[in-house]
Amino acid sequence: MPPLTYANYLDLEKLLTLQNPRSTPAEHDEMLFIIIHQTYELWFKQLLHEFDRINRDFGAGKLFDAIHSFKRARTIMKTLVGQIDILETMTPSSFSSFRDRLDTASGFQSIQFRELEFLLGYKRASTLAYVKPDMPGYVRLEQRLKERTVIDYFYDFLETRGAKIPAELKSRDLTQPNQPNEQVQAEILKLYRSSPEVSILFELMTDFDEGLQEWRYRHIKLVERTIGAKKGTGGSPGVPFLKQSLFHPIFPDLWAIRVQM
Ligand code: HEM
């Protein structure tokens, strides 16, 4: 066996052959476009990895582990938002020069992004219509639609802290999005008042949630300034579709109680 090196540990030779611009004559910015998207997909992979752990930790009532992972997830989210600045250095005319090459390809078809939404309880089964069963990861995505979300595991965690979770939430149809609930809000409020360490977790969850909404906002502005009112390559109406989820909170219960604090 050859000694382990930086390059073979990271499989760099393979990684660095995966950027294949398609425009002829070559369009300088297409490389950036590819690298940014690939980087996002890597971070989505890491976020899914972190949330799978958060779910396990919530289930086991491990507060400090969940705090640790949410801190990381929130920080990754800030990086995802920050990366948009780099792509915004690409002008609309530069993007137009290779946009045709994208054909129907669009971030809309990002299976990992959709997996993340499902895992976070934002289950829009209708979005499955825009991805195809033969796409890599489709089976995993379908599976996620049926699985418990981070909010279902969050209920388990709240129970380990003495909260009473309504029975209808415990036996809910898992293929549907999680919904806000007043009883859960009352329990969270109690914990905010009685347990400062649990309130650290709640605040980090809110940070993550705000970060995802910030990403949605920045992505819409990026789209507006790059393609204006043109339709998306993924077949949606473009900006109007994206605006539907702009202010969608992942943890609505954590937002609803603020008026009472
Ligand atoms: C020039 C840059 C970009 C443009 C013009 C653009 C455009 C769009 C448009 C129009 C949509 C709506 C769906 C459709 O295609 O019809 C969309 C969705 C999406 N894009 Fe982008 N995008 C850009 C960059 C990015 C980047 C860097 C990412 C990072 C992964 C990304 C991820 C997504 C995701 C995840 C969706 C689905 C969002 C949702 O369903 O709420 N996009 N994009």
Side-chain angles (χ1 to χ4, degrees):
M1 279 280 275
L4 196 61
T5 64
Y6 176 78
N8 58 27
Y9 178 65
L10 298 174
D11 222 343
L12 282 188
E13 208 174 326
K14 209 188 278 171
L15 182 68
L16 298 178
T17 56
L18 298 177
Q19 295 69 44
N20 299 306
R22 286 165 186 254
S23 46
T24 39
E27 175 56 45
H28 181 84
D29 285 359
E30 194 180 356
M31 180 65 90
L32 174 70
F33 190 76
I34 292 172
I35 288 184
I36 288 268
H37 281 84
Q38 289 184 340
T39 312
Y40 271 107
E41 289 295 332
L42 288 174
W43 284 126
F44 292 158
K45 183 171 182 173
Q46 185 67 31
L47 280 177
L48 289 165
H49 188 58
E50 296 299 338
F51 274 102
D52 283 336
R53 179 155 90 176
I54 287 171
N55 285 350
R56 286 197 300 276
D57 289 339
F58 270 167
K62 293 183 174 171
L63 172 66
F64 292 107
D65 297 81
I67 285 179
H68 180 71
S69 299
F70 260 105
K71 212 170 188 180
R72 182 175 297 166
R74 167 199 68 172
T75 312
I76 294 172
M77 192 46 77
K78 283 186 191 295
T79 294
L80 296 191
V81 173
Q83 277 186 196
I84 290 190
D85 289 342
I86 312 175
L87 200 51
E88 283 184 343
T89 62
M90 179 180 72
T91 62
S93 54
S94 165
F95 182 51
S96 309
S97 63
F98 64 88
R99 189 176 190 234
D100 287 351
R101 302 271 158 189
L102 301 181
D103 204 0
T104 57
S106 159
F108 206 32
Q109 297 163 339
S110 167
I111 298 264
Q112 290 201 108
F113 182 81
R114 210 57 78 201
E115 258 191 88
L116 198 57
E117 282 192 341
F118 288 180
L119 189 145
L120 293 169
Y122 192 21
K123 292 188 173 176
R124 294 183 284 173
S126 57
T127 57
L128 283 175
Y130 295 99
V131 288
K132 305 224 159 42
D134 60 355
M135 285 179 178
Y138 184 87
V139 174
R140 217 176 47 232
L141 181 61
E142 268 191 325
Q143 187 56 34
R144 291 264 189 209
L145 186 65
K146 298 181 218 144
E147 281 176 4
R148 299 182 84 217
T149 71
V150 71
I151 297 172
D152 298 309
Y153 286 101
F154 180 53
Y155 296 152
D156 294 349
F157 170 78
L158 292 175
E159 283 184 324
T160 69
R161 298 277 147 173
K164 288 188 185 58
I165 303 298
E168 73 265 22
L169 293 186
K170 307 270 300 172
S171 59
R172 70 182 200 91
D173 175 357
L174 295 176
T175 63
Q176 296 303 307
N178 290 93
Q179 298 294 344
N181 180 283
E182 284 184 8
Q183 162 86 35
V184 173
Q185 288 159 23
E187 298 288 354
I188 291 175
L189 204 53
K190 259 193 254 166
L191 283 164
Y192 250 114
R193 291 180 178 142
S194 65
S195 177
E197 68 276 22
V198 177
S199 74
I200 295 173
L201 171 71
F202 294 158
E203 287 300 296
L204 285 168
M205 291 171 72
T206 311
D207 283 349
F208 175 82
D209 195 341
E210 192 173 338
L212 182 53
Q213 292 179 54
E214 204 181 338
W215 183 83
R216 290 192 195 277
Y217 170 77
R218 290 296 311 276
H219 174 257
I220 288 180
K221 288 292 145 189
L222 163 72
V223 176
E224 275 181 341
R225 70 187 278 169
T226 314
I227 61 168
K230 288 181 202 162
K231 283 194 170 180
T233 48
S236 88
V239 171
F241 164 80
L242 294 171
K243 282 191 175 163
Q244 287 169 13
S245 55
L246 182 53
F247 293 114
H248 176 84
I250 290 299
F251 305 117
D253 293 326
L254 291 177
W255 295 94
I257 54 173
R258 284 172 196 260
V259 66
Q260 298 176 61
M261 294 174 90

